[in-house]
Amino acid sequence: MLSEHFETIEILGTNIALGILFILIGLAIQDVLNKSNVPRFGRWFVWLVLFLGCAGFIAKGIIQVIWEAGI
């Protein structure tokens, strides 16, 4: 059973680990922004860049699934 689904489990574990990593990066950035006196525009720009990085990762995953499915 495990050997049949090893690739699926590996992909799922990698995606979960990367999701947790993105959450931890976001928490670290929030902590740094709260401890320093960053202006409102700077905070907005930092969160925009972080969001675009996450959106790119999600888009890559969606494109990969579509490409492999042959749709």
Side-chain angles (χ1 to χ4, degrees), residues 1-9:
M1 171 87 179
L2 182 62
S3 61
E4 297 171 358
H5 301 291
F6 185 74
E7 185 177 346
T8 304
I9 294 170

Side-chain angles (χ1 to χ4, degrees), residues 5-69:
H5 301 291
F6 185 74
E7 185 177 346
T8 304
I9 294 170
E10 182 180 352
I11 291 170
L12 185 62
T14 302
N15 288 339
I16 290 172
L18 287 173
I20 291 171
L21 181 64
F22 276 124
I23 290 171
L24 292 175
I25 289 171
L27 290 173
I29 290 172
Q30 181 181 10
D31 186 47
V32 169
L33 291 175
N34 286 339
K35 288 184 178 180
S36 59
N37 293 327
V38 178
R40 183 177 298 271
F41 178 73
R43 289 175 188 256
W44 185 82
F45 190 73
V46 166
W47 288 115
L48 176 68
V49 170
L50 182 64
F51 171 76
L52 290 175
C54 292
F57 174 73
I58 292 169
K60 178 217 164 254
I62 292 171
I63 292 169
Q64 183 179 5
V65 167
I66 291 171
W67 187 274
E68 291 176 356

